[in-house]
Amino acid sequence: MATIERAEVLVTSPGRNFVTLRITTSDGVTGLGDATLNGRELSVAAYLREHVAPILVGLDPQRIEDTWQYLYRGAYWRRGPVTMAAIAAVDVALWDIKGKVAGMPVYQLLGGQSRRGALAYGHASGSDLPSLFQSIRNHLDEGFKAIRVQTGVPGLGQVYGVATDQKPGARYDYEPAGRGVAPAEEAWDTRSYLRHIPTIFAAVREEFGYDLPLLHDGHHRMTPNQAAILGKSLEPYDLFWLEDCTPGENQEGLRRVRSQTTTPLAIGEVFNTVFDYQTLITEQLIDYVRSAVTHTGGITALKKLMDFAAVYQIKSGFHGPTDVSPVGQAAALHLDVSLPNFGIQEYMKHSDDTLRVFRTGYTFEDGLLHPGDAPGLGVEYDDELGATFEYSPAYLPVNRLQLDGSMHDW
Ligand code: KDG
Ligand code: MG
């Protein structure tokens, strides 16, 4: 029987920071797992190096479920983003190994394809309407069939999620983490935002019609009552979803939103386990689960979460920003094509440098992503090139109220 011989933590920064776990078996089979936690990358790297890698050596790589339970229950300290990203990395690396040993892509081990591919949404944004329209057109030209719309707000400066550079040929989606020892600060005003956003969706519908699925991310910036106001005001524009309309820690807060609006709701990109969703799912307070494989304990845990959600007709809409590495994105795609209750997949293309370090087999055609048919996950890591991109700290901006500088939710 093959055993786990080695577990290595690989840190690279081709444009942004990524942490990858590579497990090697005594038969020489390797598996990759994504352990990237945006802005807190080295905490997961240390957790894996110091506390996980040594105890994996000698275990049976085929026992994915047992290893998951061993790392979750056995740690005593449960849940939390660092722990769950570390467990996810092990879990995904073991699925990669199992696929390679079986000679099958991971989605075959998850029950096979339920669809031709995973409908993807891209990130359009603009500081004003002309730049937003251009960004939407660029996405349509690339083949996107669903689009997230983020925009600047009059009176505020840079707003999170809105690209600053709209020049032709420039990247017009958004790489939000800024290099530096401390995060940048942005100013925020919820009342201005609530007044402005419905006018933007009215203009986008007027320009692009009603067939195109549109999404919007509220980045946790509203109270439940404010979220209810926004959801109601967006109803005429038929959104695919309104995301993170209010922080989800207090799950009961979503009752207020749900009772006031029929705009579909998506939540969960900062959640780590099924317990963060328990009330949201059993009371059907949301429509889409936003978790990333990388931050929710891996394929094993997210598959169970989605089976639980399916009982309540809740679908997937997995987190897929560029801080989820190509390994994490590939893992999501294997789940996406196999899940019966798939909804949509977020997709921001990684930088060219990132895609040279992580050689991916997934494809994007006619609006659909597909993980490819290589055995395992279908991603290869280039050690030599990866080592040339050195880690440096990078953070998402923080959000302070324009009125008085108070720290604000986001
Ligand atoms: O690391 C978190 C960011 O990537 C997050 O802000 C992105 O909200 C986000 C989204 O929906 O992709
Ligand atoms: Mg989001």
PDB file of all heavy atoms in Angstrom, residues 16 37-39 121 123 148 160 176 217 219-220 243-244 269-270 290 295 319-324 346 348 396 410, ligand 1:
ATOM      1  N   ARG A  16       0.134  38.027  -7.407  1.00  0.00           N
ATOM      2  CA  ARG A  16      -0.464  38.020  -6.060  1.00  0.00           C
ATOM      3  C   ARG A  16      -0.012  36.760  -5.333  1.00  0.00           C
ATOM      4  O   ARG A  16       0.551  35.854  -5.932  1.00  0.00           O
ATOM      5  CB  ARG A  16      -1.970  38.154  -6.121  1.00  0.00           C
ATOM      6  CG  ARG A  16      -2.703  37.040  -6.799  1.00  0.00           C
ATOM      7  CD  ARG A  16      -4.189  37.329  -6.786  1.00  0.00           C
ATOM      8  NE  ARG A  16      -4.603  37.808  -5.487  1.00  0.00           N
ATOM      9  CZ  ARG A  16      -5.598  38.674  -5.270  1.00  0.00           C
ATOM     10  NH1 ARG A  16      -6.282  39.159  -6.268  1.00  0.00           N
ATOM     11  NH2 ARG A  16      -5.927  39.035  -4.046  1.00  0.00           N
ATOM     12  N   LEU A  37      -5.220  32.145   1.692  1.00  0.00           N
ATOM     13  CA  LEU A  37      -6.158  32.958   2.468  1.00  0.00           C
ATOM     14  C   LEU A  37      -5.699  34.405   2.304  1.00  0.00           C
ATOM     15  O   LEU A  37      -4.707  34.828   2.902  1.00  0.00           O
ATOM     16  CB  LEU A  37      -6.118  32.517   3.937  1.00  0.00           C
ATOM     17  CG  LEU A  37      -7.162  33.100   4.876  1.00  0.00           C
ATOM     18  CD1 LEU A  37      -8.578  32.761   4.433  1.00  0.00           C
ATOM     19  CD2 LEU A  37      -6.921  32.580   6.305  1.00  0.00           C
ATOM     20  N   ASN A  38      -6.427  35.120   1.457  1.00  0.00           N
ATOM     21  CA  ASN A  38      -6.021  36.465   1.021  1.00  0.00           C
ATOM     22  C   ASN A  38      -5.677  37.374   2.208  1.00  0.00           C
ATOM     23  O   ASN A  38      -6.501  37.593   3.095  1.00  0.00           O
ATOM     24  CB  ASN A  38      -7.203  37.058   0.232  1.00  0.00           C
ATOM     25  CG  ASN A  38      -6.812  38.234  -0.624  1.00  0.00           C
ATOM     26  OD1 ASN A  38      -5.628  38.545  -0.771  1.00  0.00           O
ATOM     27  ND2 ASN A  38      -7.809  38.887  -1.206  1.00  0.00           N
ATOM     28  N   GLY A  39      -4.459  37.898   2.230  1.00  0.00           N
ATOM     29  CA  GLY A  39      -4.040  38.829   3.282  1.00  0.00           C
ATOM     30  C   GLY A  39      -3.569  38.159   4.563  1.00  0.00           C
ATOM     31  O   GLY A  39      -3.053  38.827   5.461  1.00  0.00           O
ATOM     32  N   TYR A 121     -19.708  33.703 -14.298  1.00  0.00           N
ATOM     33  CA  TYR A 121     -19.936  35.152 -14.396  1.00  0.00           C
ATOM     34  C   TYR A 121     -18.617  35.892 -14.229  1.00  0.00           C
ATOM     35  O   TYR A 121     -17.743  35.486 -13.473  1.00  0.00           O
ATOM     36  CB  TYR A 121     -20.996  35.643 -13.409  1.00  0.00           C
ATOM     37  CG  TYR A 121     -20.601  35.719 -11.945  1.00  0.00           C
ATOM     38  CD1 TYR A 121     -19.994  36.863 -11.419  1.00  0.00           C
ATOM     39  CD2 TYR A 121     -20.853  34.672 -11.082  1.00  0.00           C
ATOM     40  CE1 TYR A 121     -19.665  36.953 -10.070  1.00  0.00           C
ATOM     41  CE2 TYR A 121     -20.519  34.746  -9.736  1.00  0.00           C
ATOM     42  CZ  TYR A 121     -19.926  35.885  -9.235  1.00  0.00           C
ATOM     43  OH  TYR A 121     -19.603  35.960  -7.902  1.00  0.00           O
ATOM     44  N   HIS A 123     -16.503  39.832 -13.915  1.00  0.00           N
ATOM     45  CA  HIS A 123     -16.595  41.064 -13.116  1.00  0.00           C
ATOM     46  C   HIS A 123     -16.515  42.298 -14.008  1.00  0.00           C
ATOM     47  O   HIS A 123     -15.415  42.683 -14.420  1.00  0.00           O
ATOM     48  CB  HIS A 123     -15.391  41.171 -12.186  1.00  0.00           C
ATOM     49  CG  HIS A 123     -15.470  40.304 -10.987  1.00  0.00           C
ATOM     50  ND1 HIS A 123     -14.917  40.662  -9.790  1.00  0.00           N
ATOM     51  CD2 HIS A 123     -16.033  39.091 -10.791  1.00  0.00           C
ATOM     52  CE1 HIS A 123     -15.120  39.702  -8.914  1.00  0.00           C
ATOM     53  NE2 HIS A 123     -15.797  38.728  -9.489  1.00  0.00           N
ATOM     54  N   ARG A 148     -21.279  40.350 -13.343  1.00  0.00           N
ATOM     55  CA  ARG A 148     -21.410  41.100 -12.093  1.00  0.00           C
ATOM     56  C   ARG A 148     -21.148  42.568 -12.395  1.00  0.00           C
ATOM     57  O   ARG A 148     -20.200  42.905 -13.103  1.00  0.00           O
ATOM     58  CB  ARG A 148     -20.396  40.577 -11.074  1.00  0.00           C
ATOM     59  CG  ARG A 148     -20.527  41.215  -9.707  1.00  0.00           C
ATOM     60  CD  ARG A 148     -19.470  40.688  -8.735  1.00  0.00           C
ATOM     61  NE  ARG A 148     -18.361  41.605  -8.634  1.00  0.00           N
ATOM     62  CZ  ARG A 148     -17.532  41.669  -7.577  1.00  0.00           C
ATOM     63  NH1 ARG A 148     -17.698  40.852  -6.547  1.00  0.00           N
ATOM     64  NH2 ARG A 148     -16.534  42.528  -7.565  1.00  0.00           N
ATOM     65  N   TYR A 160     -14.318  49.753  -3.523  1.00  0.00           N
ATOM     66  CA  TYR A 160     -13.835  48.380  -3.647  1.00  0.00           C
ATOM     67  C   TYR A 160     -14.602  47.632  -4.741  1.00  0.00           C
ATOM     68  O   TYR A 160     -15.816  47.725  -4.833  1.00  0.00           O
ATOM     69  CB  TYR A 160     -13.978  47.633  -2.314  1.00  0.00           C
ATOM     70  CG  TYR A 160     -13.447  46.242  -2.421  1.00  0.00           C
ATOM     71  CD1 TYR A 160     -12.084  46.029  -2.468  1.00  0.00           C
ATOM     72  CD2 TYR A 160     -14.296  45.156  -2.551  1.00  0.00           C
ATOM     73  CE1 TYR A 160     -11.571  44.755  -2.630  1.00  0.00           C
ATOM     74  CE2 TYR A 160     -13.794  43.874  -2.698  1.00  0.00           C
ATOM     75  CZ  TYR A 160     -12.433  43.683  -2.739  1.00  0.00           C
ATOM     76  OH  TYR A 160     -11.931  42.428  -2.908  1.00  0.00           O
ATOM     77  N   PRO A 176      -7.718  43.250  -6.316  1.00  0.00           N
ATOM     78  CA  PRO A 176      -7.919  44.186  -5.214  1.00  0.00           C
ATOM     79  C   PRO A 176      -6.835  44.249  -4.142  1.00  0.00           C
ATOM     80  O   PRO A 176      -6.778  45.221  -3.420  1.00  0.00           O
ATOM     81  CB  PRO A 176      -9.233  43.726  -4.583  1.00  0.00           C
ATOM     82  CG  PRO A 176      -9.421  42.339  -5.029  1.00  0.00           C
ATOM     83  CD  PRO A 176      -8.589  42.091  -6.233  1.00  0.00           C
ATOM     84  N   ASP A 217     -22.586  42.686  -5.918  1.00  0.00           N
ATOM     85  CA  ASP A 217     -21.997  42.311  -4.622  1.00  0.00           C
ATOM     86  C   ASP A 217     -22.063  43.513  -3.680  1.00  0.00           C
ATOM     87  O   ASP A 217     -21.500  44.573  -3.975  1.00  0.00           O
ATOM     88  CB  ASP A 217     -20.533  41.889  -4.859  1.00  0.00           C
ATOM     89  CG  ASP A 217     -19.922  41.196  -3.653  1.00  0.00           C
ATOM     90  OD1 ASP A 217     -20.504  41.294  -2.550  1.00  0.00           O
ATOM     91  OD2 ASP A 217     -18.861  40.557  -3.820  1.00  0.00           O
ATOM     92  N   HIS A 219     -20.843  43.391  -0.625  1.00  0.00           N
ATOM     93  CA  HIS A 219     -19.652  43.323   0.242  1.00  0.00           C
ATOM     94  C   HIS A 219     -19.953  43.565   1.726  1.00  0.00           C
ATOM     95  O   HIS A 219     -19.183  44.261   2.408  1.00  0.00           O
ATOM     96  CB  HIS A 219     -18.573  44.294  -0.249  1.00  0.00           C
ATOM     97  CG  HIS A 219     -17.975  43.899  -1.560  1.00  0.00           C
ATOM     98  ND1 HIS A 219     -17.358  42.685  -1.775  1.00  0.00           N
ATOM     99  CD2 HIS A 219     -17.905  44.556  -2.749  1.00  0.00           C
ATOM    100  CE1 HIS A 219     -16.935  42.614  -3.021  1.00  0.00           C
ATOM    101  NE2 HIS A 219     -17.255  43.729  -3.635  1.00  0.00           N
ATOM    102  N   HIS A 220     -21.062  43.053   2.200  1.00  0.00           N
ATOM    103  CA  HIS A 220     -21.405  43.062   3.636  1.00  0.00           C
ATOM    104  C   HIS A 220     -21.623  44.475   4.196  1.00  0.00           C
ATOM    105  O   HIS A 220     -21.476  44.686   5.399  1.00  0.00           O
ATOM    106  CB  HIS A 220     -20.314  42.420   4.507  1.00  0.00           C
ATOM    107  CG  HIS A 220     -19.613  41.240   3.946  1.00  0.00           C
ATOM    108  ND1 HIS A 220     -19.966  39.960   4.277  1.00  0.00           N
ATOM    109  CD2 HIS A 220     -18.567  41.126   3.088  1.00  0.00           C
ATOM    110  CE1 HIS A 220     -19.156  39.101   3.659  1.00  0.00           C
ATOM    111  NE2 HIS A 220     -18.302  39.792   2.930  1.00  0.00           N
ATOM    112  N   GLU A 243     -25.424  39.782  -3.684  1.00  0.00           N
ATOM    113  CA  GLU A 243     -24.476  39.033  -2.840  1.00  0.00           C
ATOM    114  C   GLU A 243     -24.100  39.817  -1.593  1.00  0.00           C
ATOM    115  O   GLU A 243     -23.969  41.046  -1.640  1.00  0.00           O
ATOM    116  CB  GLU A 243     -23.222  38.760  -3.689  1.00  0.00           C
ATOM    117  CG  GLU A 243     -22.122  38.061  -2.935  1.00  0.00           C
ATOM    118  CD  GLU A 243     -20.818  38.009  -3.741  1.00  0.00           C
ATOM    119  OE1 GLU A 243     -20.848  38.248  -4.968  1.00  0.00           O
ATOM    120  OE2 GLU A 243     -19.782  37.746  -3.131  1.00  0.00           O
ATOM    121  N   ASP A 244     -23.873  39.090  -0.501  1.00  0.00           N
ATOM    122  CA  ASP A 244     -23.373  39.672   0.754  1.00  0.00           C
ATOM    123  C   ASP A 244     -24.025  41.017   1.051  1.00  0.00           C
ATOM    124  O   ASP A 244     -23.359  42.036   1.267  1.00  0.00           O
ATOM    125  CB  ASP A 244     -21.838  39.815   0.707  1.00  0.00           C
ATOM    126  CG  ASP A 244     -21.135  38.471   0.870  1.00  0.00           C
ATOM    127  OD1 ASP A 244     -21.769  37.533   1.416  1.00  0.00           O
ATOM    128  OD2 ASP A 244     -19.975  38.347   0.451  1.00  0.00           O
ATOM    129  N   GLU A 269     -19.041  33.735   1.165  1.00  0.00           N
ATOM    130  CA  GLU A 269     -17.637  33.608   0.741  1.00  0.00           C
ATOM    131  C   GLU A 269     -16.669  33.684   1.919  1.00  0.00           C
ATOM    132  O   GLU A 269     -15.543  33.215   1.805  1.00  0.00           O
ATOM    133  CB  GLU A 269     -17.281  34.647  -0.332  1.00  0.00           C
ATOM    134  CG  GLU A 269     -17.199  36.057   0.182  1.00  0.00           C
ATOM    135  CD  GLU A 269     -16.831  37.076  -0.903  1.00  0.00           C
ATOM    136  OE1 GLU A 269     -17.352  36.965  -2.020  1.00  0.00           O
ATOM    137  OE2 GLU A 269     -16.038  37.966  -0.607  1.00  0.00           O
ATOM    138  N   VAL A 270     -17.094  34.255   3.049  1.00  0.00           N
ATOM    139  CA  VAL A 270     -16.191  34.272   4.210  1.00  0.00           C
ATOM    140  C   VAL A 270     -16.533  33.165   5.223  1.00  0.00           C
ATOM    141  O   VAL A 270     -15.936  33.099   6.297  1.00  0.00           O
ATOM    142  CB  VAL A 270     -16.163  35.650   4.931  1.00  0.00           C
ATOM    143  CG1 VAL A 270     -15.708  36.742   3.988  1.00  0.00           C
ATOM    144  CG2 VAL A 270     -17.507  35.997   5.544  1.00  0.00           C
ATOM    145  N   ARG A 290     -22.091  30.719  -1.403  1.00  0.00           N
ATOM    146  CA  ARG A 290     -20.957  31.394  -2.049  1.00  0.00           C
ATOM    147  C   ARG A 290     -19.589  30.830  -1.650  1.00  0.00           C
ATOM    148  O   ARG A 290     -18.544  31.407  -1.989  1.00  0.00           O
ATOM    149  CB  ARG A 290     -20.996  32.885  -1.674  1.00  0.00           C
ATOM    150  CG  ARG A 290     -21.985  33.666  -2.458  1.00  0.00           C
ATOM    151  CD  ARG A 290     -21.511  33.865  -3.888  1.00  0.00           C
ATOM    152  NE  ARG A 290     -20.412  34.803  -3.981  1.00  0.00           N
ATOM    153  CZ  ARG A 290     -19.386  34.687  -4.823  1.00  0.00           C
ATOM    154  NH1 ARG A 290     -19.302  33.653  -5.636  1.00  0.00           N
ATOM    155  NH2 ARG A 290     -18.443  35.602  -4.858  1.00  0.00           N
ATOM    156  N   HIS A 295     -11.803  27.607   1.129  1.00  0.00           N
ATOM    157  CA  HIS A 295     -12.015  28.168   2.472  1.00  0.00           C
ATOM    158  C   HIS A 295     -13.050  27.405   3.276  1.00  0.00           C
ATOM    159  O   HIS A 295     -13.420  27.828   4.370  1.00  0.00           O
ATOM    160  CB  HIS A 295     -12.413  29.652   2.352  1.00  0.00           C
ATOM    161  CG  HIS A 295     -11.407  30.435   1.582  1.00  0.00           C
ATOM    162  ND1 HIS A 295     -11.737  31.264   0.543  1.00  0.00           N
ATOM    163  CD2 HIS A 295     -10.054  30.461   1.675  1.00  0.00           C
ATOM    164  CE1 HIS A 295     -10.632  31.785   0.028  1.00  0.00           C
ATOM    165  NE2 HIS A 295      -9.606  31.307   0.699  1.00  0.00           N
ATOM    166  N   HIS A 319     -17.306  30.917  -4.816  1.00  0.00           N
ATOM    167  CA  HIS A 319     -16.371  32.048  -4.848  1.00  0.00           C
ATOM    168  C   HIS A 319     -15.202  31.713  -5.780  1.00  0.00           C
ATOM    169  O   HIS A 319     -14.588  30.661  -5.640  1.00  0.00           O
ATOM    170  CB  HIS A 319     -15.857  32.228  -3.408  1.00  0.00           C
ATOM    171  CG  HIS A 319     -15.207  33.526  -3.126  1.00  0.00           C
ATOM    172  ND1 HIS A 319     -14.269  33.673  -2.139  1.00  0.00           N
ATOM    173  CD2 HIS A 319     -15.366  34.739  -3.681  1.00  0.00           C
ATOM    174  CE1 HIS A 319     -13.875  34.931  -2.095  1.00  0.00           C
ATOM    175  NE2 HIS A 319     -14.527  35.603  -3.009  1.00  0.00           N
ATOM    176  N   GLY A 320     -14.894  32.619  -6.696  1.00  0.00           N
ATOM    177  CA  GLY A 320     -13.791  32.352  -7.633  1.00  0.00           C
ATOM    178  C   GLY A 320     -13.030  33.600  -8.027  1.00  0.00           C
ATOM    179  O   GLY A 320     -12.785  33.828  -9.208  1.00  0.00           O
ATOM    180  N   PRO A 321     -12.636  34.435  -7.040  1.00  0.00           N
ATOM    181  CA  PRO A 321     -11.821  35.606  -7.375  1.00  0.00           C
ATOM    182  C   PRO A 321     -10.396  35.146  -7.654  1.00  0.00           C
ATOM    183  O   PRO A 321     -10.073  33.960  -7.481  1.00  0.00           O
ATOM    184  CB  PRO A 321     -11.879  36.439  -6.099  1.00  0.00           C
ATOM    185  CG  PRO A 321     -11.945  35.422  -5.017  1.00  0.00           C
ATOM    186  CD  PRO A 321     -12.767  34.290  -5.580  1.00  0.00           C
ATOM    187  N   THR A 322      -9.512  36.067  -8.038  1.00  0.00           N
ATOM    188  CA  THR A 322      -8.149  35.645  -8.369  1.00  0.00           C
ATOM    189  C   THR A 322      -7.333  35.275  -7.144  1.00  0.00           C
ATOM    190  O   THR A 322      -6.228  34.759  -7.287  1.00  0.00           O
ATOM    191  CB  THR A 322      -7.398  36.727  -9.178  1.00  0.00           C
ATOM    192  OG1 THR A 322      -7.628  37.986  -8.552  1.00  0.00           O
ATOM    193  CG2 THR A 322      -7.847  36.751 -10.618  1.00  0.00           C
ATOM    194  N   ASP A 323      -7.852  35.518  -5.931  1.00  0.00           N
ATOM    195  CA  ASP A 323      -7.091  35.058  -4.758  1.00  0.00           C
ATOM    196  C   ASP A 323      -7.385  33.593  -4.430  1.00  0.00           C
ATOM    197  O   ASP A 323      -6.740  33.022  -3.542  1.00  0.00           O
ATOM    198  CB  ASP A 323      -7.289  35.962  -3.540  1.00  0.00           C
ATOM    199  CG  ASP A 323      -8.742  36.262  -3.234  1.00  0.00           C
ATOM    200  OD1 ASP A 323      -9.286  37.186  -3.847  1.00  0.00           O
ATOM    201  OD2 ASP A 323      -9.324  35.572  -2.377  1.00  0.00           O
ATOM    202  N   VAL A 324      -8.334  32.986  -5.084  1.00  0.00           N
ATOM    203  CA  VAL A 324      -8.439  31.518  -5.086  1.00  0.00           C
ATOM    204  C   VAL A 324      -7.494  31.066  -6.204  1.00  0.00           C
ATOM    205  O   VAL A 324      -7.616  31.528  -7.340  1.00  0.00           O
ATOM    206  CB  VAL A 324      -9.885  31.072  -5.375  1.00  0.00           C
ATOM    207  CG1 VAL A 324      -9.949  29.596  -5.710  1.00  0.00           C
ATOM    208  CG2 VAL A 324     -10.783  31.388  -4.179  1.00  0.00           C
ATOM    209  N   GLU A 346     -18.224  31.916 -10.170  1.00  0.00           N
ATOM    210  CA  GLU A 346     -17.486  33.169 -10.374  1.00  0.00           C
ATOM    211  C   GLU A 346     -16.171  32.864 -11.098  1.00  0.00           C
ATOM    212  O   GLU A 346     -15.491  31.885 -10.786  1.00  0.00           O
ATOM    213  CB  GLU A 346     -17.185  33.805  -9.011  1.00  0.00           C
ATOM    214  CG  GLU A 346     -16.471  35.137  -9.095  1.00  0.00           C
ATOM    215  CD  GLU A 346     -16.236  35.760  -7.713  1.00  0.00           C
ATOM    216  OE1 GLU A 346     -16.401  35.047  -6.692  1.00  0.00           O
ATOM    217  OE2 GLU A 346     -15.894  36.943  -7.654  1.00  0.00           O
ATOM    218  N   MET A 348     -12.730  35.001 -12.553  1.00  0.00           N
ATOM    219  CA  MET A 348     -11.835  36.089 -12.962  1.00  0.00           C
ATOM    220  C   MET A 348     -10.584  35.397 -13.463  1.00  0.00           C
ATOM    221  O   MET A 348      -9.974  34.616 -12.728  1.00  0.00           O
ATOM    222  CB  MET A 348     -11.446  36.938 -11.755  1.00  0.00           C
ATOM    223  CG  MET A 348     -12.551  37.784 -11.186  1.00  0.00           C
ATOM    224  SD  MET A 348     -11.972  38.544  -9.644  1.00  0.00           S
ATOM    225  CE  MET A 348     -11.056  39.962 -10.260  1.00  0.00           C
ATOM    226  N   LEU A 396      -6.266  43.487   1.221  1.00  0.00           N
ATOM    227  CA  LEU A 396      -7.467  44.147   0.731  1.00  0.00           C
ATOM    228  C   LEU A 396      -7.562  45.495   1.451  1.00  0.00           C
ATOM    229  O   LEU A 396      -7.082  45.622   2.588  1.00  0.00           O
ATOM    230  CB  LEU A 396      -8.701  43.309   1.086  1.00  0.00           C
ATOM    231  CG  LEU A 396      -8.797  41.944   0.422  1.00  0.00           C
ATOM    232  CD1 LEU A 396      -9.918  41.127   1.059  1.00  0.00           C
ATOM    233  CD2 LEU A 396      -9.048  42.094  -1.064  1.00  0.00           C
ATOM    234  N   TRP A 410     -17.487  45.410   5.827  1.00  0.00           N
ATOM    235  CA  TRP A 410     -17.435  45.211   4.378  1.00  0.00           C
ATOM    236  C   TRP A 410     -17.163  43.758   4.080  1.00  0.00           C
ATOM    237  O   TRP A 410     -16.805  43.019   4.966  1.00  0.00           O
ATOM    238  CB  TRP A 410     -16.415  46.114   3.729  1.00  0.00           C
ATOM    239  CG  TRP A 410     -15.037  45.555   3.721  1.00  0.00           C
ATOM    240  CD1 TRP A 410     -14.155  45.558   4.747  1.00  0.00           C
ATOM    241  CD2 TRP A 410     -14.400  44.904   2.630  1.00  0.00           C
ATOM    242  NE1 TRP A 410     -13.003  44.969   4.365  1.00  0.00           N
ATOM    243  CE2 TRP A 410     -13.113  44.557   3.060  1.00  0.00           C
ATOM    244  CE3 TRP A 410     -14.797  44.599   1.313  1.00  0.00           C
ATOM    245  CZ2 TRP A 410     -12.220  43.897   2.241  1.00  0.00           C
ATOM    246  CZ3 TRP A 410     -13.911  43.947   0.506  1.00  0.00           C
ATOM    247  CH2 TRP A 410     -12.625  43.608   0.978  1.00  0.00           C
TER     248      TRP A 410
HETATM  249  O1  KDG B   1     -10.350  37.721  -0.751  1.00  0.00           O
HETATM  250  C1  KDG B   1     -11.636  38.180  -0.867  1.00  0.00           C
HETATM  251  C2  KDG B   1     -11.860  38.949  -2.128  1.00  0.00           C
HETATM  252  O2  KDG B   1     -11.433  38.253  -3.225  1.00  0.00           O
HETATM  253  C3  KDG B   1     -13.317  39.285  -2.232  1.00  0.00           C
HETATM  254  O3  KDG B   1     -13.484  40.617  -1.950  1.00  0.00           O
HETATM  255  C4  KDG B   1     -13.877  39.035  -3.558  1.00  0.00           C
HETATM  256  O4  KDG B   1     -16.069  39.714  -2.827  1.00  0.00           O
HETATM  257  C5  KDG B   1     -15.366  39.105  -3.591  1.00  0.00           C
HETATM  258  C6  KDG B   1     -15.977  38.327  -4.638  1.00  0.00           C
HETATM  259  O5  KDG B   1     -17.184  38.232  -4.657  1.00  0.00           O
HETATM  260  O6  KDG B   1     -15.231  37.788  -5.453  1.00  0.00           O
END
